[in-house]
Amino acid sequence: MRTIVFPYHRRRALIDKIADTFVNEGLQAGNSLAFLIGAQMVSDLLNNEAPQADVDEAITLFVSAWRTAAIPRLVEQQRKGGAA
């Protein structure tokens, strides 16, 4: 039986956590967290026998989602004189 994995790019709490990590802890920490969550997403998909095209699409959507959340926060931080 194949389990449907809820799309990570739609998990607002995860996306917000990644964006907050970029702002509060820096680029290296944000990238590390995004990588770990993304690796778990890929693992979940592969364990549930998702086709490669679905995995590729999920990765693209996931990266787009956290970038969309993080970039405006980083820009705002820079405007306020903070360092990323």
Side-chain angles (χ1 to χ4, degrees), residues 28-42:
Q28 185 174 356
N31 281 325
S32 294
L33 181 60
F35 177 80
L36 289 172
I37 293 172
Q40 182 63 53
M41 174 190 69
V42 170

Side-chain angles (χ1 to χ4, degrees), residues 40-72:
Q40 182 63 53
M41 174 190 69
V42 170
S43 175
D44 288 350
L45 289 166
L46 294 176
N47 286 337
N48 286 290
E49 301 174 4
Q52 185 62 48
D54 290 355
V55 175
D56 293 344
E57 180 182 23
I59 292 169
T60 299
L61 292 171
F62 173 69
V63 171
S64 177
W66 67 254
R67 284 183 177 170
T68 299
I71 290 171

Side-chain angles (χ1 to χ4, degrees), residues 6 9 15-16 27-28 30 35 38 40 48 50 53 58 71 79 82:
F6 188 79
H9 66 278
I15 299 304
D16 286 341
L27 297 177
Q28 185 174 356
F35 177 80
Q40 182 63 53
N48 286 290
I71 290 171
R79 284 188 187 143

